[in-house]
Structure formats: structure tokens, C-alpha cells
Amino acid sequence: MDINKAITGVVAGGASGGAGVALIWVVGSYLMAGARGANSGFDVGLWVTVMLASWIIATIVFWFGIAGLGLPAWALLHRLGWTGPLQAVFFGGLITFAGSVGLMLAMGGSLSESVAPASLLALDGAVVGWVIQRIAYSPIKPVLPPPARPS
């Protein structure tokens, strides 16, 4: 594993996690507004702004989560040789679930209120684990010299 690919994987994983949260947030908000009958004056610019802001904030939160929880777990899993895509998906979801529940409890929520949103975020964390694994453990492609010119 190359350290540059690992860093690229973490950056891309955090960005994909943020995108998943933004999508969940905007679709959920739109559906809730529709249930209240508030979508009659649909403003595309507002929803794009909300989605972009949600993506930026969620990406930063995912990067902190990866740095605080994901990297130590990744180091342990790498040392144990558990570097396959299935392990990345499973542990990405598990760590995201545990981190989400912990964050919601720290913000004053109850365990019963935290499980459902944390389960949804765990699906996003599974995707993050898969993205990081695919980038960090992809084979290094050799740089081939250009073909010789015909003489």
C-alpha cells in the first residue's frame, strides 16, 4: 500500500461520505416538506445551496471521524491482514454506526433516538469504507515507456 494512495482514499472517502449525508438530508427534507404541502414553490437554487452546504459540513465531519476512529481501526485491520473490500464495508459501517451513536449521545440524545439515524449513516459509512479500500489497495500500475518508433 502506498501512503499517497491511502491519503487519496481518505480524502475521497470523506467526500463520498459527505455526499451521502447531503443526499439523505436533502431528499429527506424535500419529502418532509412535501408531506406538509410546502413544495408548491420549489426553489432549485435553495435546494442546491442546502445540498452543497450539507456536503461541505458532512465531509468535514466524516474526515474528523475517519481521523479519530477510522484510521486507528484501519491500522489494526491492516496489521491483521483484513484488507479486503468486504472487511472494509463491514467495519466502515460498524465504525460509522458506533461513532454516530456516540456523537448523538454526546449531544444529549437518547440511545433509542440515536439508533435509527445511526443505522442510516452506517450504510453511508460502508460506502466510505469501500471507497477507501478500493483506492488505497488498488494495484500500482507501472509506468510503461512509450512504444519505440518504427524505423
mmCIF file of all heavy atoms in Angstrom, residues 30-41:
data_model
loop_
_atom_site.group_PDB
_atom_site.id
_atom_site.type_symbol
_atom_site.label_atom_id
_atom_site.label_comp_id
_atom_site.label_asym_id
_atom_site.label_seq_id
_atom_site.Cartn_x
_atom_site.Cartn_y
_atom_site.Cartn_z
ATOM 1 N N TYR A 30 -36.818 17.374 1.547
ATOM 2 C CA TYR A 30 -37.784 17.605 0.474
ATOM 3 C C TYR A 30 -39.039 16.762 0.676
ATOM 4 O O TYR A 30 -40.157 17.243 0.513
ATOM 5 C CB TYR A 30 -37.146 17.289 -0.877
ATOM 6 C CG TYR A 30 -38.067 17.554 -2.039
ATOM 7 C CD1 TYR A 30 -38.305 18.854 -2.471
ATOM 8 C CD2 TYR A 30 -38.716 16.511 -2.696
ATOM 9 C CE1 TYR A 30 -39.159 19.100 -3.531
ATOM 10 C CE2 TYR A 30 -39.565 16.744 -3.750
ATOM 11 C CZ TYR A 30 -39.788 18.045 -4.154
ATOM 12 O OH TYR A 30 -40.634 18.297 -5.201
ATOM 13 N N LEU A 31 -38.861 15.499 1.069
ATOM 14 C CA LEU A 31 -40.017 14.640 1.300
ATOM 15 C C LEU A 31 -40.842 15.122 2.486
ATOM 16 O O LEU A 31 -42.075 15.088 2.449
ATOM 17 C CB LEU A 31 -39.572 13.190 1.507
ATOM 18 C CG LEU A 31 -38.981 12.496 0.285
ATOM 19 C CD1 LEU A 31 -38.468 11.113 0.651
ATOM 20 C CD2 LEU A 31 -39.991 12.425 -0.844
ATOM 21 N N MET A 32 -40.173 15.574 3.538
ATOM 22 C CA MET A 32 -40.896 16.095 4.704
ATOM 23 C C MET A 32 -41.651 17.376 4.342
ATOM 24 O O MET A 32 -42.783 17.585 4.777
ATOM 25 C CB MET A 32 -39.938 16.358 5.865
ATOM 26 C CG MET A 32 -39.343 15.099 6.452
ATOM 27 S SD MET A 32 -40.576 13.968 7.097
ATOM 28 C CE MET A 32 -41.122 14.871 8.517
ATOM 29 N N ALA A 33 -41.021 18.242 3.540
ATOM 30 C CA ALA A 33 -41.705 19.466 3.113
ATOM 31 C C ALA A 33 -42.902 19.117 2.227
ATOM 32 O O ALA A 33 -43.956 19.750 2.317
ATOM 33 C CB ALA A 33 -40.730 20.376 2.373
ATOM 34 N N GLY A 34 -42.741 18.100 1.373
ATOM 35 C CA GLY A 34 -43.848 17.662 0.521
ATOM 36 C C GLY A 34 -44.995 17.100 1.322
ATOM 37 O O GLY A 34 -46.166 17.293 0.993
ATOM 38 N N ALA A 35 -44.671 16.402 2.404
ATOM 39 C CA ALA A 35 -45.713 15.845 3.259
ATOM 40 C C ALA A 35 -46.524 16.958 3.925
ATOM 41 O O ALA A 35 -47.695 16.788 4.226
ATOM 42 C CB ALA A 35 -45.100 14.935 4.328
ATOM 43 N N ARG A 36 -45.874 18.103 4.151
ATOM 44 C CA ARG A 36 -46.578 19.246 4.742
ATOM 45 C C ARG A 36 -47.213 20.141 3.667
ATOM 46 O O ARG A 36 -47.840 21.138 3.983
ATOM 47 C CB ARG A 36 -45.604 20.098 5.566
ATOM 48 C CG ARG A 36 -45.093 19.413 6.798
ATOM 49 C CD ARG A 36 -44.333 20.371 7.707
ATOM 50 N NE ARG A 36 -43.464 21.303 7.009
ATOM 51 C CZ ARG A 36 -42.166 21.123 6.769
ATOM 52 N NH1 ARG A 36 -41.583 20.019 7.176
ATOM 53 N NH2 ARG A 36 -41.464 22.036 6.135
ATOM 54 N N GLY A 37 -47.002 19.808 2.383
ATOM 55 C CA GLY A 37 -47.558 20.602 1.296
ATOM 56 C C GLY A 37 -46.768 21.877 1.036
ATOM 57 O O GLY A 37 -47.282 22.821 0.469
ATOM 58 N N ALA A 38 -45.495 21.902 1.423
ATOM 59 C CA ALA A 38 -44.692 23.121 1.287
ATOM 60 C C ALA A 38 -43.834 23.136 0.034
ATOM 61 O O ALA A 38 -43.041 24.042 -0.148
ATOM 62 C CB ALA A 38 -43.798 23.278 2.516
ATOM 63 N N ASN A 39 -43.981 22.154 -0.857
ATOM 64 C CA ASN A 39 -43.136 22.093 -2.054
ATOM 65 C C ASN A 39 -43.779 22.737 -3.268
ATOM 66 O O ASN A 39 -43.295 22.583 -4.375
ATOM 67 C CB ASN A 39 -42.794 20.638 -2.393
ATOM 68 C CG ASN A 39 -41.729 20.087 -1.495
ATOM 69 O OD1 ASN A 39 -41.035 20.841 -0.824
ATOM 70 N ND2 ASN A 39 -41.598 18.779 -1.467
ATOM 71 N N SER A 40 -44.857 23.479 -3.089
ATOM 72 C CA SER A 40 -45.531 24.059 -4.243
ATOM 73 C C SER A 40 -44.653 25.082 -4.951
ATOM 74 O O SER A 40 -44.685 25.198 -6.157
ATOM 75 C CB SER A 40 -46.862 24.687 -3.828
ATOM 76 O OG SER A 40 -46.619 25.664 -2.833
ATOM 77 N N GLY A 41 -43.850 25.833 -4.230
ATOM 78 C CA GLY A 41 -42.943 26.791 -4.837
ATOM 79 C C GLY A 41 -41.518 26.283 -4.778
ATOM 80 O O GLY A 41 -40.658 26.874 -4.135
#
